[in-house]
Amino acid sequence: MTPPLVSLRFIFHMGFLYVWRSWRSTLVLAAMVFTAVAALVFLSALAVGTNDAMIRNSVGLFSGHITGDNIPAADVPHISNIKGVKYVLPRWQRPAWLKNRENKNYVILMGIRPDLEKKAAALWKKTVDGRFPEAEEASIYLSEFESRRLNVKVGDTVHIRFDDGSPEIELKACGTYRTGISFLDQGIAFCPADVFPSAGGTMSVAVFLEEGIDAEKFMKKNAHLASGMNLKTWSQFMPDLKQLIDLNHVSMGIVMILVFCIVSMGISCAFIIFIVKNMREHGIMKAMGIAPYESALLILTQVMLLTGFASLSGTMTGALAVAGFGRVGIDLTSFTSYNPYFVVSGIIYPRLTFYSVVLPSFLAILFGCLGALWPMVYVIRSRAADVLRSI
Amino acid sequence: MIQVSGIFKMFRSGRGKVFALKEISFSVEKGSSLILAGKSGSGKTTLLNCIGGLEKPEKGNVICAGEQIHSLSGKALSRFQRRRIGFVFQSGNLLSYLNVMENIEFPMALNEIKGKRRHGRVSELLDAVGLAGAGSAMPFELSAGETQRVAFARAIAHSPSILLADEPTANLDSENGRQLINLMFSLSRESGCTMVVATHDAEIIHPAPHKLFLKDGQIEDAI
């Protein structure tokens, strides 16, 4: 094999001088790549943040990241001790008749630990009248819908009767709430666990994980610890949310591809112009003895240097913007106030992922190189005189 | 040194097939100079391009410094061009993103002439073409005459055995043109390189000892 004619260092040096000294073209083209990459990094982080917000809202309101039914009371400490678990909220439930004068309704009565619920979940924030129950208080917390059906106002006494013949109890309505989510607004009522007539030693639990821990991965990792328990992740008990997030991923993927296509076409075309305007110089260099593949390598180096620098700056700027907005959040409450997936907060915190950092730069460089392909092929295939004549 | 035998060159254009060169044959001795004279469109540039390997003729042979240049592979041709040939273009054709010094260094860098030898040669050439203080100037800062002098310095920087010049004085006034030609002839004589100059400038054609007159792609007269 014959040795290469000139060193890569020489080609890199020439490419750098070209990009550096054609500073006006470089600046315009770099600004285009920079803006596109920065915007796409931020957009993709925003999409991830929107999905995060939906999950955070949906699990944070009441259910937690993982729920379990028929869990023996003795197992709860085990769950609490698993690394990554922030809170475990025990909940007891049994069907009951609620009665106020002539009005009665069949609901699931849920015994809760009010102090823990206020720490971990956000149901108490959805109070529309009165307040959330307090520990050891003989009170009941009703949805606005149920209170209307029973014609109960805050301060009224509600009679609770069970089908199994347990003695009837009386609880005072301490507050009403509205979430906009049907399974929480209809057919359910809450009272402190201390006054809940327990039906046995099993309970349901809501497990809240530490920030940033993926529920599915957590379950897989701790399968041995949770064996025998009927635990489900949010994606299993909220398939609608899972589907919506998957749909978001797909639609955001399509949007990103379309945006990339449009931006990339622009980048490719701009690069063709950038290279072709100086095509004559490649003809001159060929006449002086630069080999065809060296000319192609030089074009590729120029494009890589320019897109590489612009992409890196764009990624850093996009990431900085994400870091800034990720700290304070973007308040979109006015667009989400009627949306059941944003019941707690409409604030979105953009978040970077590996793909949102790498993909925009990668595609900008790829399409920049694709833009350089035609001039490269032209320089390789044409004789010096043809290159000089064609411009 | 240069032997051209029966070359034909044809172009296809909107006007159909155009024969730029028809049955051209001649030779140039090592170290001597030849003027290719003729009107615009007579085929001077095409002939020069064929000699330098920038263009491939449809028929015929060009042997330069013992090499049949149109039989060489792309890489071998590039190697030959960078080592053996210096080219002065009509409008200078300096690389716009390199300064004067870097333009002159370019063929030396291609030939891996490095360090003090390269810098010394650049200074020597800048002195010789009267541009000693202009090493850092960019091509757009030069006048037409200065550009051509730098182009000439670049063409001979790596001491080629063949120098090809295409209308080197076309964009210059007569005074600048005369200066450049005198410089070209004296420096190439000193370095012993074979020179072929394409021109229609009478001031260059008249005093030259060896001339080839072209008309419509054919040799009209040879002196």
Side-chain angles (χ1 to χ4, degrees), chain A residues 2-3 5-6 10 14 17-18 21 280-281 284-291 294 383 385 388-389, chain B residues 11 49 53-56 75 77-79 81-82 89 93 95-99 102 106 109-110 138 154:
Chain A
T2 48
L5 292 171
V6 291
F10 175 75
M14 290 296 290
L17 285 179
Y18 178 79
R21 290 190 180 152
R280 186 178 180 82
E281 307 212 332
I284 299 164
M285 286 189 280
K286 278 192 94 167
M288 288 197 284
I290 281 266
E294 288 168 341
R383 288 200 159 249
L388 285 165
R389 219 182 350 255
Chain B
F11 292 109
N49 286 345
L54 277 62
E55 198 108 65
K56 191 173 182 177
K75 199 169 174 177
L77 177 63
S78 297
R79 202 181 290 273
Q81 284 169 324
R82 74 176 53 174
F89 298 92
N93 276 348
L95 297 173
S96 63
Y97 56 95
L98 301 182
N99 64 27
E102 289 160 346
F106 187 82
L110 289 182
M138 295 304 287
R154 180 180 67 180

Side-chain angles (χ1 to χ4, degrees), chain A residues 23-56:
Chain A
W23 65 272
R24 285 185 193 87
S25 317
T26 298
L27 208 64
V28 172
L29 209 50
M32 193 175 89
V33 176
F34 166 86
T35 314
V37 169
L40 289 172
V41 166
F42 188 77
L43 262 180
S44 52
L46 193 64
V48 174
T50 306
N51 284 345
D52 284 353
M54 287 201 294
I55 297 168
R56 195 172 52 245

